[in-house]
């Protein structure tokens, strides 16, 4: 491949509404808003119905949250691989159609009085599976439609869609439950999903074309997990998720019980409470792009954590309905600040080829913590008071900020993860099949002895780029006879995977690799070889038919014996 001229790092676009000027993005964003409104309307009805059916069991109410989020934990990584290897639009459409059937069926059973606790659990699991399979594809499609400098704004708008629905959906849900009963919330949710299907069927986003054959499902999963393992920005997102979600989910898991038992609110008050949370989230969400530029992602995340914790602590210590509703505004603002910061960092920290899988790893961690946290906080609330439970979650939230000292979020510059296209394509002398391999790539350098230590230090980040983009093994060796000669060797599973590796190299990777290559002192470029492993197996030891060893048949003094 030809050398690509370096460009200066791009900066994120501070206009939070820029992606909405793209017609397809705008229509899909509206469809997403409708789906999210329907989801929150349905969850209000499900939570209230479960509270009535389970005779106010705090554990059962919390388990309903776990049933909704457990599939998102278990299936997010496979769903991320599907999002990167299948037609994303069709995947989303199939999941939405199944969700319509499930929501409509739940509405019919609830209307007939046949929806018991296990019916609710089953429907929640089914809807959770559909959400898990479509979520990475949905978010990746949305960010595929905008330039990279608008990616943070697109991610923020995705979160605003979710949280604007929190301002609208719970209020509608509370009113619908009070006027018609929970069954009507399920019917309204099904109707909203029908509208989403219509938009998806009629609006076809122009997505990037693939230049190589799509990856196989299992290989795509392995590549995604490998990338996350060796990507410091994505690993930091996972650590921040693990420190924030488990304590923060306590309020969410116990929200119906907090509203009814602690704050003495009815279904309308519960809807207002969730609506206030949505208002705070939406208000903060539209201001996040500017705040992120002024404060940076880590100070913004710390501020959001403290605001959220202060709101939960106030609700715990002041058991008054109006106080609880008012405090949900800062709680919503803190929540959207944290969730959007994590979402933006997860999406901006990975290149396009693996973005769905990187996002899926984040979603798996997020919803795994949500499901496990819901169960744990439900068990805790069964044994101690709601006040003690909420205050314990606040203490853990504040303690989690200590991990910011080491695991800091990083927003990657807009062009850092664009392909550099600077690796020269190999020119095999004979046909090589896509599945041939493993492939051994060797690169020979000549390094002055006085530069040996600096060269090794420069090669450490190079090793990370090799592993992250597809290598299953890597090694750097020095020749014992010629100390100036160094050999880099890495192995890739197949020829096709190595060709993908050529396309995965980013501009940031190029800078790292060129910094190491600058130590090379040879007359030309470092020499590169591509070797395909031959399918040769060791021969079995020859054995005589009479049972005697071949060695034993030799005469004493035989020079070959011994």
């Amino acid at each position: 491949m030809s050398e690509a001229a370096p460009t200066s790092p791009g900066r994120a676009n501070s206009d939070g509404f820029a992606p909405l000027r793209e017609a397809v993005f705008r229509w899909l964003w509206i469809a997403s808003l409708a789906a999210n409104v329907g989801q929150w309307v349905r969850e209000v009805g499900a939570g209230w119905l479960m509270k009535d059916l389970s005779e106010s069991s705090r554990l059962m109410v919390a388990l309903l949250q776990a049933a909704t989020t457990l599939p998102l934990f278990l299936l997010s990584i496979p769903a991320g691989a599907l999002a990167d290897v299948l037609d994303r639009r069709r995947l989303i459409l199939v999941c939405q159609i199944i969700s319509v059937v499930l929501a409509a069926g739940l509405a019919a059973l609830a209307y007939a009085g046949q929806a018991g606790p296990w019916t609710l659990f089953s429907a929640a699991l089914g809807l959770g599976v559909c959400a898990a399979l479509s979520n990475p594809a949905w978010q990746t499609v949305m960010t595929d439609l905008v330039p990279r400098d608008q990616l943070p704004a697109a991610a923020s708008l995705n979160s605003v869609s979710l949280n604007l629905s929190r301002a609208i959906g719970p209020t509608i849900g509370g009113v619908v439950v009070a006027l018609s009963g929970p069954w009507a919330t399920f019917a309204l949710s099904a109707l909203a999903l029908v509208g989403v299907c219509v938009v998806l069927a009629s609006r076809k986003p122009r997505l990037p074309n693939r230049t190589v054959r799509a990856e196989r499902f299992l290989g795509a999963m392995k590549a995604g997990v490998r990338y996350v393992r060796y990507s410091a920005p994505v690993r930091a997102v996972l650590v921040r998720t693990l420190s924030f979600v488990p304590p923060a989910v306590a309020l969410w898991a116990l929200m119906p019980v907090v509203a009814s038992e602690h704050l003495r609110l009815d279904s309308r008050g519960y809807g207002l409470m969730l609506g206030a949370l949505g208002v705070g989230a939406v208000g903060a969400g539209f201001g996040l792009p500017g705040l992120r530029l002024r404060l940076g992602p880590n100070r913004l995340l710390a501020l959001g954590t403290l605001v959220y914790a202060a709101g939960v602590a106030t609700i715990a210590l002041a058991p008054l309905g109006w106080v609880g509703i008012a405090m949900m505004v800062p709680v919503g603002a803190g929540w959207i600040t944290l969730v959007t910061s994590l979402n933006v960092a997860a999406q901006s920290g990975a290149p396009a080829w693996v973005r769905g899988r990187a996002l899926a790893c984040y979603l798996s961690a997020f919803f795994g913590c949500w499901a496990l946290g819901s169960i744990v906080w439900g068990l805790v609330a069964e044994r101690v008071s709601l006040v003690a439970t909420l205050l314990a979650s606040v203490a853990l939230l504040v303690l989690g900020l200590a991990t910011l000292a080491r695991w800091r979020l990083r927003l990657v510059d807009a062009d850092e993860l664009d392909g550099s296209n600077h690796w020269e394509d190999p020119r095999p002398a004979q046909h090589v099949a896509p599945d041939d391999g493993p492939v051994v790539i060797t690169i020979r350098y000549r390094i002055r002895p006085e530069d040996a230590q600096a060269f090794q230090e420069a090669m450490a980040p190079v090793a990370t780029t090799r592993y992250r983009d597809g290598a299953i093994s890597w090694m750097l060796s020095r020749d014992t006879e010629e100390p100036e000669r160094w050999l880099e060797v890495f192995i890739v599973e197949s020829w096709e995977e190595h060709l993908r590796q050529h396309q995965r190299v980013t501009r940031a990777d190029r800078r790292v690799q060129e910094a190491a290559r600058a130590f090379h002192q040879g007359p030309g470029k470092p020499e590169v070889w591509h070797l395909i492993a031959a399918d040769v197996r060791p021969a079995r030891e020859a054995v005589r038919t009479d049972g005697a060893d071949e060695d034993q048949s030799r005469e004493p003094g035989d020079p070959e014996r011994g």
Side-chain angles (χ1 to χ4, degrees), residues 19-37:
L20 291 175
R21 299 190 184 101
E22 169 65 39
V24 178
F25 182 95
R26 184 170 62 251
W27 276 104
L28 290 176
W29 186 83
I30 292 171
S32 171
L33 176 61
N36 290 329
V37 168

Side-chain angles (χ1 to χ4, degrees), residues 216-387:
R216 293 184 177 92
F217 175 69
L218 292 178
M221 283 183 60
K222 288 195 298 183
V225 173
R226 182 174 58 235
Y227 182 90
V228 169
R229 178 184 176 187
Y230 291 102
S231 172
V234 181
R235 289 203 311 272
V237 172
L238 297 183
V239 173
R240 298 261 42 83
T241 301
L242 294 174
S243 69
F244 160 66
V245 176
V249 78
L251 178 63
W252 290 94
L254 300 167
M255 193 86 75
V257 181
V258 170
S260 61
E261 295 184 19
H262 186 64
L263 300 176
R264 306 296 180 186
L265 297 172
D266 59 13
S267 59
R268 293 184 184 181
Y270 178 51
L272 287 173
M273 184 178 172
L274 291 178
L277 182 144
V279 168
V282 171
F286 283 117
L288 281 178
L291 280 173
R292 189 177 295 110
L293 289 176
R294 287 197 294 271
L295 299 178
N298 294 290
R299 282 187 291 178
L300 184 61
L301 188 141
L303 176 63
T305 301
L306 294 175
V307 169
Y308 184 88
V312 175
T314 304
I315 291 171
L317 297 173
L320 299 171
W322 68 269
V323 172
I325 293 172
M327 283 297 100
M328 292 305 285
V329 174
V331 165
W335 175 265
I336 188 62
T337 299
L338 289 157
V339 172
T340 301
S341 295
L342 294 173
N343 197 295
V344 169
Q347 294 193 54
S348 67
W353 70 269
V354 76
R355 190 177 302 144
R357 284 163 279 182
L359 182 62
C361 289
Y362 155 65
L363 292 174
S364 181
F366 187 98
F367 289 110
C369 291
W370 190 299
L372 181 61
S374 295
I375 296 171
V376 170
W377 290 117
L379 292 170
V380 171
E382 286 281 309
R383 289 161 174 76
V384 301
S385 68
L386 280 173
V387 172

